[in-house]
Amino acid sequence: MLYYATDAGYAHVTPDGHPEQVARLTAIADALEGVEGLDRREAPVADDAALLLCHTQAHIDRIRRAAPERGRRRQLDGDTYMSHGSLQAALGGVGGCVAAVDAVLDGEARAAFVGCRPPGHHAERQTPMGFCLFGNVAIAARHALERHGLSRVAVVDFDVHHGNGTQDLLWDEGRALFVSSHQMPLFPGTGAPDERGAHGQVVNLPLAPDTDGQHMRDVYESHVFPKLLEWQPELLLISVGFDAHFDDPLAQLQWETEDFAWLTERLCDVADRTCDGRVVSTLEGGYDLDALGASVAAHVTTLRDRSR
């Protein structure tokens, strides 16, 4: 399988103590160092044409203008920062997702993992927030639809925080199913079940604090997998946040590393039945470094084994 990454992510430097830190990439690289069967590729830099699939030109221009000089840092909101290297890192995240979709749909591999930062699922059409600048997975979905001519794609987001940005960017896109499981109440405060999208193609599944992996499995078995099988996507995109892990400092779900492996396995089952196993996953959250490394390894090795 394919693994897209970029050293540009190491130049996106947040303040000391910020959970979305450079060390996340180090933890992931260390966890995947000994994993065989990964075709590691440099994530290319996205162009404006890709960004405009979801964002306005005004938003793109705002982010470019906000990029500070070397050695400086700019705060965009309460917890979203840019350093000198942040723009290139964010463009690499989008570019990696677009390249992964191209490669998978062109038949180079059945699955790809994009291990870039900053994450993307909180970035709305005209608003950076929640550590995110651009909507990586939503842009990937629109790229598959517009550039490859697909009729249906699905995005599954199991980050502990609701993907409000992905929901916003795909709200009017009737060809894209968006399914999110997330803790509620929790930042950003969106993701209620009655938020259903312009075409009824948004499915939000709030999970109460302190619920465990077995509860998650029951919810996915009863709600998510049947919906995906009904939708019959031609490509499955996954926003893989690992902050539902019980060790994560930013939330209170009680998933274990094995739960991420199980969920990846079952999503691959759905992909095998609907889209010839074509899966692209992209990194979102996960802020305990040990839990992040272990969970990424579990996800990627499962995805690799299923895509052979």
PDB file of all heavy atoms in Angstrom, residues 103-119:
ATOM      1  N   ALA A 103      -3.700   7.855  -7.240  1.00  0.00           N
ATOM      2  CA  ALA A 103      -2.989   6.582  -7.322  1.00  0.00           C
ATOM      3  C   ALA A 103      -3.932   5.401  -7.121  1.00  0.00           C
ATOM      4  O   ALA A 103      -3.861   4.394  -7.839  1.00  0.00           O
ATOM      5  CB  ALA A 103      -1.860   6.551  -6.293  1.00  0.00           C
ATOM      6  N   VAL A 104      -4.822   5.514  -6.151  1.00  0.00           N
ATOM      7  CA  VAL A 104      -5.746   4.412  -5.876  1.00  0.00           C
ATOM      8  C   VAL A 104      -6.746   4.237  -7.019  1.00  0.00           C
ATOM      9  O   VAL A 104      -7.015   3.116  -7.472  1.00  0.00           O
ATOM     10  CB  VAL A 104      -6.455   4.629  -4.527  1.00  0.00           C
ATOM     11  CG1 VAL A 104      -7.622   3.667  -4.350  1.00  0.00           C
ATOM     12  CG2 VAL A 104      -5.458   4.463  -3.375  1.00  0.00           C
ATOM     13  N   LEU A 105      -7.284   5.338  -7.530  1.00  0.00           N
ATOM     14  CA  LEU A 105      -8.254   5.225  -8.610  1.00  0.00           C
ATOM     15  C   LEU A 105      -7.606   4.839  -9.928  1.00  0.00           C
ATOM     16  O   LEU A 105      -8.273   4.276 -10.807  1.00  0.00           O
ATOM     17  CB  LEU A 105      -9.038   6.532  -8.751  1.00  0.00           C
ATOM     18  CG  LEU A 105      -9.968   6.866  -7.583  1.00  0.00           C
ATOM     19  CD1 LEU A 105     -10.704   8.176  -7.846  1.00  0.00           C
ATOM     20  CD2 LEU A 105     -10.979   5.737  -7.342  1.00  0.00           C
ATOM     21  N   ASP A 106      -6.317   5.128 -10.075  1.00  0.00           N
ATOM     22  CA  ASP A 106      -5.594   4.712 -11.285  1.00  0.00           C
ATOM     23  C   ASP A 106      -5.091   3.275 -11.194  1.00  0.00           C
ATOM     24  O   ASP A 106      -4.454   2.777 -12.120  1.00  0.00           O
ATOM     25  CB  ASP A 106      -4.419   5.649 -11.548  1.00  0.00           C
ATOM     26  CG  ASP A 106      -4.861   7.032 -12.018  1.00  0.00           C
ATOM     27  OD1 ASP A 106      -6.036   7.172 -12.410  1.00  0.00           O
ATOM     28  OD2 ASP A 106      -4.042   7.975 -11.975  1.00  0.00           O
ATOM     29  N   GLY A 107      -5.334   2.610 -10.057  1.00  0.00           N
ATOM     30  CA  GLY A 107      -4.985   1.214  -9.917  1.00  0.00           C
ATOM     31  C   GLY A 107      -3.564   0.925  -9.481  1.00  0.00           C
ATOM     32  O   GLY A 107      -3.127  -0.230  -9.522  1.00  0.00           O
ATOM     33  N   GLU A 108      -2.822   1.944  -9.003  1.00  0.00           N
ATOM     34  CA  GLU A 108      -1.462   1.704  -8.528  1.00  0.00           C
ATOM     35  C   GLU A 108      -1.450   0.919  -7.220  1.00  0.00           C
ATOM     36  O   GLU A 108      -0.490   0.202  -6.922  1.00  0.00           O
ATOM     37  CB  GLU A 108      -0.725   3.030  -8.341  1.00  0.00           C
ATOM     38  CG  GLU A 108      -0.467   3.797  -9.610  1.00  0.00           C
ATOM     39  CD  GLU A 108       0.326   5.057  -9.338  1.00  0.00           C
ATOM     40  OE1 GLU A 108       1.328   4.981  -8.594  1.00  0.00           O
ATOM     41  OE2 GLU A 108      -0.066   6.118  -9.858  1.00  0.00           O
ATOM     42  N   ALA A 109      -2.480   1.078  -6.425  1.00  0.00           N
ATOM     43  CA  ALA A 109      -2.622   0.370  -5.150  1.00  0.00           C
ATOM     44  C   ALA A 109      -4.088   0.401  -4.772  1.00  0.00           C
ATOM     45  O   ALA A 109      -4.864   1.229  -5.280  1.00  0.00           O
ATOM     46  CB  ALA A 109      -1.777   1.026  -4.061  1.00  0.00           C
ATOM     47  N   ARG A 110      -4.471  -0.507  -3.904  1.00  0.00           N
ATOM     48  CA  ARG A 110      -5.862  -0.526  -3.449  1.00  0.00           C
ATOM     49  C   ARG A 110      -6.083   0.404  -2.264  1.00  0.00           C
ATOM     50  O   ARG A 110      -7.226   0.781  -1.983  1.00  0.00           O
ATOM     51  CB  ARG A 110      -6.279  -1.943  -3.070  1.00  0.00           C
ATOM     52  CG  ARG A 110      -6.294  -2.912  -4.235  1.00  0.00           C
ATOM     53  CD  ARG A 110      -6.657  -4.306  -3.761  1.00  0.00           C
ATOM     54  NE  ARG A 110      -8.056  -4.404  -3.387  1.00  0.00           N
ATOM     55  CZ  ARG A 110      -8.537  -5.246  -2.480  1.00  0.00           C
ATOM     56  NH1 ARG A 110      -7.710  -6.036  -1.808  1.00  0.00           N
ATOM     57  NH2 ARG A 110      -9.830  -5.292  -2.220  1.00  0.00           N
ATOM     58  N   ALA A 111      -5.013   0.768  -1.551  1.00  0.00           N
ATOM     59  CA  ALA A 111      -5.183   1.578  -0.350  1.00  0.00           C
ATOM     60  C   ALA A 111      -3.997   2.510  -0.178  1.00  0.00           C
ATOM     61  O   ALA A 111      -2.878   2.223  -0.638  1.00  0.00           O
ATOM     62  CB  ALA A 111      -5.333   0.694   0.886  1.00  0.00           C
ATOM     63  N   ALA A 112      -4.249   3.634   0.507  1.00  0.00           N
ATOM     64  CA  ALA A 112      -3.203   4.607   0.798  1.00  0.00           C
ATOM     65  C   ALA A 112      -3.489   5.270   2.137  1.00  0.00           C
ATOM     66  O   ALA A 112      -4.654   5.473   2.512  1.00  0.00           O
ATOM     67  CB  ALA A 112      -3.117   5.666  -0.297  1.00  0.00           C
ATOM     68  N   PHE A 113      -2.406   5.598   2.847  1.00  0.00           N
ATOM     69  CA  PHE A 113      -2.487   6.354   4.101  1.00  0.00           C
ATOM     70  C   PHE A 113      -1.708   7.642   3.922  1.00  0.00           C
ATOM     71  O   PHE A 113      -0.566   7.633   3.463  1.00  0.00           O
ATOM     72  CB  PHE A 113      -1.900   5.551   5.260  1.00  0.00           C
ATOM     73  CG  PHE A 113      -1.722   6.339   6.534  1.00  0.00           C
ATOM     74  CD1 PHE A 113      -2.812   6.843   7.225  1.00  0.00           C
ATOM     75  CD2 PHE A 113      -0.442   6.581   7.042  1.00  0.00           C
ATOM     76  CE1 PHE A 113      -2.651   7.575   8.394  1.00  0.00           C
ATOM     77  CE2 PHE A 113      -0.271   7.299   8.224  1.00  0.00           C
ATOM     78  CZ  PHE A 113      -1.381   7.804   8.896  1.00  0.00           C
ATOM     79  N   VAL A 114      -2.330   8.769   4.297  1.00  0.00           N
ATOM     80  CA  VAL A 114      -1.691  10.078   4.202  1.00  0.00           C
ATOM     81  C   VAL A 114      -1.390  10.544   5.620  1.00  0.00           C
ATOM     82  O   VAL A 114      -2.286  10.937   6.371  1.00  0.00           O
ATOM     83  CB  VAL A 114      -2.595  11.091   3.471  1.00  0.00           C
ATOM     84  CG1 VAL A 114      -1.861  12.426   3.301  1.00  0.00           C
ATOM     85  CG2 VAL A 114      -3.038  10.542   2.116  1.00  0.00           C
ATOM     86  N   GLY A 115      -0.108  10.482   5.987  1.00  0.00           N
ATOM     87  CA  GLY A 115       0.304  10.806   7.353  1.00  0.00           C
ATOM     88  C   GLY A 115       0.889  12.189   7.463  1.00  0.00           C
ATOM     89  O   GLY A 115       2.066  12.349   7.806  1.00  0.00           O
ATOM     90  N   CYS A 116       0.085  13.199   7.162  1.00  0.00           N
ATOM     91  CA  CYS A 116       0.549  14.588   7.160  1.00  0.00           C
ATOM     92  C   CYS A 116      -0.134  15.390   8.262  1.00  0.00           C
ATOM     93  O   CYS A 116      -1.181  15.007   8.773  1.00  0.00           O
ATOM     94  CB  CYS A 116       0.261  15.238   5.810  1.00  0.00           C
ATOM     95  SG  CYS A 116       1.113  14.486   4.402  1.00  0.00           S
ATOM     96  N   ARG A 117       0.469  16.493   8.631  1.00  0.00           N
ATOM     97  CA  ARG A 117      -0.125  17.470   9.522  1.00  0.00           C
ATOM     98  C   ARG A 117       0.159  18.861   8.962  1.00  0.00           C
ATOM     99  O   ARG A 117       1.114  19.027   8.217  1.00  0.00           O
ATOM    100  CB  ARG A 117       0.419  17.332  10.966  1.00  0.00           C
ATOM    101  CG  ARG A 117       1.928  17.520  11.091  1.00  0.00           C
ATOM    102  CD  ARG A 117       2.394  17.434  12.526  1.00  0.00           C
ATOM    103  NE  ARG A 117       2.044  18.574  13.336  1.00  0.00           N
ATOM    104  CZ  ARG A 117       2.787  19.664  13.431  1.00  0.00           C
ATOM    105  NH1 ARG A 117       3.915  19.808  12.740  1.00  0.00           N
ATOM    106  NH2 ARG A 117       2.405  20.639  14.216  1.00  0.00           N
ATOM    107  N   PRO A 118      -0.662  19.885   9.279  1.00  0.00           N
ATOM    108  CA  PRO A 118      -1.785  19.867  10.213  1.00  0.00           C
ATOM    109  C   PRO A 118      -2.961  19.050   9.691  1.00  0.00           C
ATOM    110  O   PRO A 118      -3.044  18.777   8.498  1.00  0.00           O
ATOM    111  CB  PRO A 118      -2.162  21.350  10.314  1.00  0.00           C
ATOM    112  CG  PRO A 118      -1.765  21.932   8.998  1.00  0.00           C
ATOM    113  CD  PRO A 118      -0.497  21.207   8.641  1.00  0.00           C
ATOM    114  N   PRO A 119      -3.869  18.655  10.616  1.00  0.00           N
ATOM    115  CA  PRO A 119      -5.078  17.950  10.201  1.00  0.00           C
ATOM    116  C   PRO A 119      -6.000  18.881   9.414  1.00  0.00           C
ATOM    117  O   PRO A 119      -5.675  20.060   9.203  1.00  0.00           O
ATOM    118  CB  PRO A 119      -5.694  17.510  11.525  1.00  0.00           C
ATOM    119  CG  PRO A 119      -5.193  18.513  12.520  1.00  0.00           C
ATOM    120  CD  PRO A 119      -3.812  18.890  12.062  1.00  0.00           C
TER     121      PRO A 119
END
